[in-house]
């Protein structure tokens, strides 16, 4: 057979599996190509944001290639979730980790040896144990290796796990077996680390956009935070959400308040008992509680697809963290929101922490990251553009789904102050950061100013009419808009860009947004799925049916069906098997197992409505 011929067959087969097993009609961008590559035996490197749909990129090849796919995953909880999800689809999957009893472990090995598994999830230290490797080598046909959370192999990343290092031997031990590395967080250095460490051989690389279009970003000035939080909860009644706080104390305090006010909330932080944390997490996954209040200790390994909102009660330390935490909302692709309560006082507290770091290089990096975070919060332009810009993804267009786009801030003529600021940057020789430039503008009487003789500059003291905060805010906006650059490698020194010239020469004017006090919310309908409106009352009823089935089978509700599937049911009103199969996420096995209960509920609802 020619190669093209097999590729065509691969495509047909992959689409068939997508539809029959997973119940989806179409591939998302990149999925099909990387699946074909893997099926044909080529390595793959997959960088996609959370919720992008990485899993089926190796799960479908696992079902098509002969043998069992070995999936390396760092967290037991995550493995179990994925396996539960696959079992519900009728896929032969299991996991193998230290949290199992001996008997459970023996059972899994028996299944493995008898060729009764399509996917086996293993912890890295288990996989690389000598016995297990020998077994794999001699008695099993690995279909492929999938290394999930692959950034854990890099010492540069923030999640380095020493046990990942040994995975580098896989290539030598199994030269013929394709390896897929998957991650949602990797800047350039980590990316090349992953490829080198795993010795990927000319991998098919998928690098998708980091945009999460279904997440709406809002930033409001933190005024009465608890009240601001409750306003959101009112809108999101009954839906799942995470509230991130900076301190453990605050986490517990908010959880207690929420419970007092009639919400079902649990607290989660690293200071709690292992058992307490597990219960908290489980009850959140199972929709037994609506809200989890947490420190950043919560989230790694949480795969809950129907988190509808993430609130940052306090300012995160950096954009990386903010992006990752907000990214836990809306993994199912339905609309979700991220609310940040911002105050410059919080920024000052964080700055205080950073100042205490003794390693000066690290301090500089952390400070720069914090500045970027504040700049995001204070930005007068589309949040998504700032966010994606930070990750090196330039966007020309405004997103239309953030507070700035939907409720543009009031604008004022900032030409004069902007000119003052830019010329001051020029006068100090483009050699200083924001703090010093502001000092000079405001005519500060500081030692540094005197020593440098900057009190003799023509721009010294020309900006006394504005406060420090106002000047910093303006300078950050000028950076955002590209009039100034910050040299990260040199103490965040400010430099003029080409774009600044016409403004400085008086050939251009500049309008800027005023700092924002409060964000208005439009009453836009959110009950839409793939452009169709769905019935929210029926949706709630279907959620109840789902919860009953989930509790009966002791699995999280989303294992039965995701919110997206329920919403689609509430839009399409399927009352027979064929119509039900057309709903995204309904494959053959799930149709047989659960379809009937939902068809019945829909029929009942239609009868009652007419
Ligand atoms: P990731 O691992 O990248 O965070 P997942 O693999 O968990 O993301 O996928 C996120 C969600 O998108 C899941 O609910 C998954 O079933 C769904 N999904 C993946 N691929 C498709 C597709 N082609 N069509 C519809 N939904 C999909
Ligand atoms: Zn926007």
């Amino acid at each position: 057979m020619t190669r093209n011929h097999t590729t065509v067959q691969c495509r047909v087969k992959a689409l068939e599996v997508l539809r029959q097993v997973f119940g989806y009609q179409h591939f998302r961008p990149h999925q099909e190509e990387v699946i074909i590559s893997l099926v044909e035996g080529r390595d793959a490197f997959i960088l996609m944001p959370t919720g992008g749909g990485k899993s089926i990129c190796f799960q479908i090849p696992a079902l098509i290639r002969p043998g069992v796919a070995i999936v390396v995953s760092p967290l037991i909880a995550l493995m179990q979730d994925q396996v539960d999800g696959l079992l519900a689809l009728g896929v032969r999957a299991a996991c193998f980790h230290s949290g199992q009893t001996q008997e459970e472990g023996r059972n899994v090995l028996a299944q493995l040896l008898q060729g009764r598994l399509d996917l086996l999830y293993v912890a890295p230290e288990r996989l690389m144990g000598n016995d297990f490797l020998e077994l794999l080598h001699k008695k099993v046909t690995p279909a492929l290796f999938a290394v999930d959370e692959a950034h854990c192999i890099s010492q540069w990343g923030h999640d380095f796990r020493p046990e990942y290092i040994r995975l580098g031997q896989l290539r030598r031990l199994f030269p013929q077996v394709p390896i897929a590395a998957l991650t949602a967080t990797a800047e350039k250095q980590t990316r090349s680390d992953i490829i080198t460490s795993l010795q990927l051989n000319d991998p098919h690389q998928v690098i998708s956009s980091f945009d999460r279009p279904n997440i709406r970003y809002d930033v409001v000035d933190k005024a009465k935070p608890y009240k601001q939080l409750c306003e959101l909860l009112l809108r999101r009644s009954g839906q799942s959400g995470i509230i991130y706080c900076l301190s453990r104390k605050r986490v517990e305090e908010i959880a207690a308040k929420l419970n007092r006010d009639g919400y079902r909330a649990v607290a989660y932080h690293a200071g709690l008992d292992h058992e307490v944390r597990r219960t908290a997490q489980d009850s959140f996954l199972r929709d037994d509680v609506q809200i989890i209040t947490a420190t950043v200790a919560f989230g790694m390994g949480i795969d809950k697809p129907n988190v509808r909102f993430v609130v940052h009660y306090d300012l995160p330390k950096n954009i990386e963290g903010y992006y990752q935490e907000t990214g836990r909302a809306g993994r199912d692709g339905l609309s979700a929101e991220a609310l940040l309560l911002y105050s410059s006082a919080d920024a000052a507290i964080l700055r205080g922490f950073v100042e205490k770091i003794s390693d000066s290089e690290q301090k500089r990096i952390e400070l720069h990251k914090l500045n970027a975070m504040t700049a995001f919060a204070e930005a007068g332009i589309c949040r998504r553009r700032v966010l994606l810009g930070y990750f090196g993804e330039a966007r020309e267009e405004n997103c239309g789904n953030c507070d700035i786009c939907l409720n543009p801030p009031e604008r004022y003529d900032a030409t004069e102050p902007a000119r003052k600021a830019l010329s001051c940057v020029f006068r100090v020789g483009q050699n200083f950061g924001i703090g010093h430039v502001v000092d000079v503008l405001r005519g500060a009487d500081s030692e540094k100013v005197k020593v440098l003789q900057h009190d003799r500059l023509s721009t010294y003291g020309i900006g006394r009419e504005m406060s420090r905060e106002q000047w910093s805010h303006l300078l950050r906006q000028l950076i955002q808009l590209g009039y100034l650059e910050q040299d990260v490698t040199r103490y965040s020194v400010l430099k003029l860009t080409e774009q600044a010239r016409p403004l400085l020469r008086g050939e251009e004017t500049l309008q800027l947004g005023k700092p924002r006090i409060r964000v208005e919310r439009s009453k836009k309908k959110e009950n839409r799925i793939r452009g169709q409106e769905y019935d929210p009352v029926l949706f709630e009823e279907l959620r109840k049916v789902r919860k009953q089935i989930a509790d009966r089978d002791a699995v999280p509700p989303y294992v039965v069906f995701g919110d997206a599937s329920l919403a689609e049911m509430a839009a399409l009103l399927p009352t027979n098997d064929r119509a039900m199969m057309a709903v995204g996420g309904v494959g053959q096995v799930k149709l047989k197992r659960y379809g009937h209960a939902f068809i019945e509920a829909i029929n009942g609802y239609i009868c009652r409505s007419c």
Side-chain angles (χ1 to χ4, degrees):
M1 247 184 308
T2 67
R3 189 187 148 84
N4 275 341
H5 190 177
T6 49
T7 304
V8 171
Q9 285 181 333
C10 265
R11 271 181 211 283
V12 173
K13 184 77 194 156
L15 195 61
E16 187 187 307
V17 174
L18 180 77
R19 291 185 173 162
Q20 304 289 337
V21 178
F22 292 90
Y24 296 129
Q25 292 305 307
H26 306 284
F27 283 111
R28 289 185 181 158
H30 305 299
Q31 285 180 330
E32 186 177 10
E33 295 316 311
V34 72
I35 287 171
I36 305 294
S37 276
L38 275 166
V39 171
E40 292 181 343
R42 184 171 164 197
D43 288 346
F45 174 83
I46 302 168
L47 172 61
M48 271 189 196
T50 310
K54 284 185 286 298
S55 315
I56 68 164
C57 295
F58 62 83
Q59 287 166 347
I60 292 182
L63 294 175
I64 298 178
R65 282 179 67 88
V68 50
I70 307 293
V71 186
V72 184
S73 177
L75 291 154
I76 295 176
L78 203 106
M79 274 186 221
Q80 195 60 57
D81 280 357
Q82 292 237 355
V83 169
D84 286 345
L86 287 167
L87 291 173
L89 294 172
V91 173
R92 304 178 305 169
C95 48
F96 189 52
H97 56 71
S98 54
Q100 288 168 318
T101 63
Q102 276 201 344
E103 194 189 334
E104 284 169 333
R106 263 202 307 272
N107 270 335
V108 172
L109 288 183
Q111 283 176 291
L112 177 68
L113 290 173
Q114 291 159 7
R116 287 193 283 125
L117 285 178
D118 296 312
L119 288 112
L120 178 66
Y121 285 72
V122 273
E125 61 278 7
R126 266 285 155 112
L127 169 62
M128 301 313 287
N130 288 339
D131 294 348
F132 193 79
L133 278 181
E134 189 172 313
L135 185 106
L136 266 193
H137 221 259
K138 298 215 169 116
K139 307 224 164 112
V140 177
T141 314
L144 59 93
F145 291 100
V147 180
D148 209 358
E149 313 285 348
H151 56 275
C152 293
I153 206 170
S154 165
Q155 314 221 24
W156 300 107
H158 53 291
D159 283 328
F160 173 59
R161 284 167 186 262
E163 62 278 15
Y164 260 62
I165 289 287
R166 292 196 60 200
L167 296 173
Q169 300 170 25
L170 285 175
R171 168 54 73 236
R172 186 175 51 79
L173 296 169
F174 301 92
Q176 304 301 333
V177 181
I179 301 176
L182 304 104
T183 177
T185 53
E187 19 63 67
K188 277 213 176 91
Q189 177 66 52
T190 316
R191 220 186 288 171
S192 73
D193 270 8
I194 294 173
I195 293 176
T196 331
S197 309
L198 289 175
Q199 300 181 43
L200 299 188
N201 183 9
D202 179 30
H204 179 110
Q205 298 204 32
V206 168
I207 294 169
S208 354
S209 164
F210 265 56
D211 188 17
R212 301 284 312 278
N214 60 322
I215 299 181
R216 168 176 169 151
Y217 298 100
D218 280 308
V219 181
V220 298
D221 264 13
K222 192 168 173 177
K224 291 191 173 129
Y226 187 72
K227 191 161 163 261
Q228 289 169 312
L229 171 65
C230 288
E231 275 167 20
L232 177 144
L233 295 179
L234 219 56
R235 261 190 295 116
R236 294 277 173 192
S237 133
Q239 304 180 0
S240 295
I242 308 172
I243 299 164
Y244 283 107
C245 309
L246 196 60
S247 70
R248 295 174 183 181
K249 191 169 148 250
R250 171 85 43 86
V251 165
E252 301 206 356
E253 192 182 289
I254 308 285
K257 264 190 181 169
L258 287 171
N259 278 302
R260 189 198 62 198
D261 291 343
Y263 293 100
R264 290 166 297 135
V266 282
Y268 185 107
H269 58 71
L272 294 171
D273 240 34
H274 181 73
E275 216 27 57
V276 176
R277 268 185 292 166
R278 226 192 45 202
T279 317
Q281 187 169 313
D282 278 353
S283 48
F284 184 60
L285 289 181
R286 285 170 199 272
D287 286 347
D288 289 333
V289 300
Q290 182 200 347
I291 301 160
I292 197 153
T293 62
T295 58
V296 293
F298 175 79
M300 174 77 172
I302 293 301
D303 242 348
K304 188 175 167 60
N306 63 339
V307 174
R308 294 268 72 85
F309 59 90
V310 168
V311 177
H312 281 92
Y313 206 87
D314 304 302
L315 186 68
K317 288 198 202 74
N318 51 50
I319 291 191
E320 286 88 345
Y322 172 77
Y323 176 80
Q324 204 167 49
E325 284 139 27
T326 53
R328 297 191 175 118
R331 292 189 51 153
D332 52 12
L334 295 186
S335 71
E337 67 180 294
L339 172 67
L340 167 61
L341 304 180
Y342 172 70
S343 86
S344 49
D346 282 354
I349 295 175
L350 290 177
R351 191 154 292 130
F353 291 156
V354 176
E355 294 295 348
K356 290 204 187 83
I357 298 174
S358 51
D359 181 320
S360 69
E361 175 67 4
Q362 203 200 340
K363 187 196 297 190
R364 197 173 57 74
I365 293 172
E366 297 291 325
L367 211 52
H368 176 76
K369 288 187 170 180
L370 177 58
N371 285 339
M373 185 68 233
T374 7
F376 167 83
E378 291 176 356
I381 59 168
C382 172
R383 307 277 178 207
R384 200 175 305 271
R385 283 175 66 186
V386 180
L387 204 56
L388 293 175
Y390 182 79
F391 292 113
E393 237 181 86
R395 282 280 160 111
E396 303 278 302
E397 268 140 46
N398 293 335
C399 78
N401 194 24
C402 73
D403 59 335
I404 303 284
C405 285
L406 291 167
N407 299 289
E410 246 182 280
R411 302 186 87 69
Y412 71 103
D413 186 349
T415 314
E416 258 326 290
R419 252 184 225 150
K420 286 180 180 176
L422 295 176
S423 57
C424 192
V425 169
F426 182 71
R427 293 287 162 211
V428 298
Q430 311 192 54
N431 242 333
F432 295 87
I434 292 181
H436 184 73
V437 171
V438 173
D439 275 350
V440 175
L441 279 166
R442 292 195 21 90
D445 192 18
S446 76
E447 204 47 43
K448 187 170 171 189
V449 168
K450 278 193 217 133
V451 171
L452 292 160
Q453 301 192 337
H454 282 171
D455 49 355
R456 297 193 187 170
L457 297 175
S458 59
T459 52
Y460 180 75
I462 57 168
R464 289 200 171 88
E465 73 285 3
M466 276 166 56
S467 69
R468 279 199 76 80
E469 285 68 37
Q470 286 172 321
W471 279 117
S472 312
H473 185 256
L474 176 74
L475 282 163
R476 282 200 277 266
Q477 281 183 298
L478 292 175
I479 297 168
Q480 298 290 341
L481 292 167
Y483 291 96
L484 288 173
E485 269 172 2
Q486 245 176 331
D487 188 345
V488 217
T489 57
R490 290 188 46 230
Y491 309 97
S492 304
V493 158
L494 293 174
K495 289 189 181 311
L496 301 176
T497 63
E498 275 305 304
Q499 195 186 325
R501 281 172 198 241
L503 186 60
L504 265 175
R505 282 199 227 108
E507 295 161 11
E508 244 182 32
T509 60
L510 178 67
Q511 299 282 312
L512 285 182
K514 284 189 180 163
R516 293 160 77 76
I517 311 298
R518 170 159 252 122
V519 174
E520 295 299 322
R521 236 170 130 120
S522 63
K523 298 249 174 327
K524 199 180 113 207
K525 272 213 164 152
E526 293 211 318
N527 302 326
R528 298 189 80 82
I529 172 97
R530 294 211 224 143
Q532 266 183 315
E533 209 165 305
Y534 67 84
D535 181 338
V537 181
L538 176 57
F539 177 70
E540 284 309 319
E541 284 198 18
L542 297 177
R543 277 181 50 154
K544 284 191 192 124
V545 175
R546 174 178 69 178
K547 178 72 177 138
Q548 276 171 5
I549 297 176
D551 286 347
R552 183 197 70 199
D553 295 356
V555 291
Y558 60 79
V559 165
V560 178
F561 283 124
D563 279 12
S565 302
L566 298 193
E568 230 180 300
M569 289 180 203
L572 301 175
L573 307 177
T575 52
N576 58 45
D577 284 8
R578 236 188 64 220
M580 201 54 151
M581 270 298 271
V583 170
V586 184
Q588 275 173 344
V589 172
K590 281 198 177 175
L591 176 71
K592 255 195 224 127
R593 249 180 232 174
Y594 310 123
H596 197 70
F598 289 91
I599 289 178
E600 207 172 309
I602 293 165
N603 270 326
Y605 183 76
I606 295 175
C607 280
R608 266 178 286 129
S609 318
C610 54

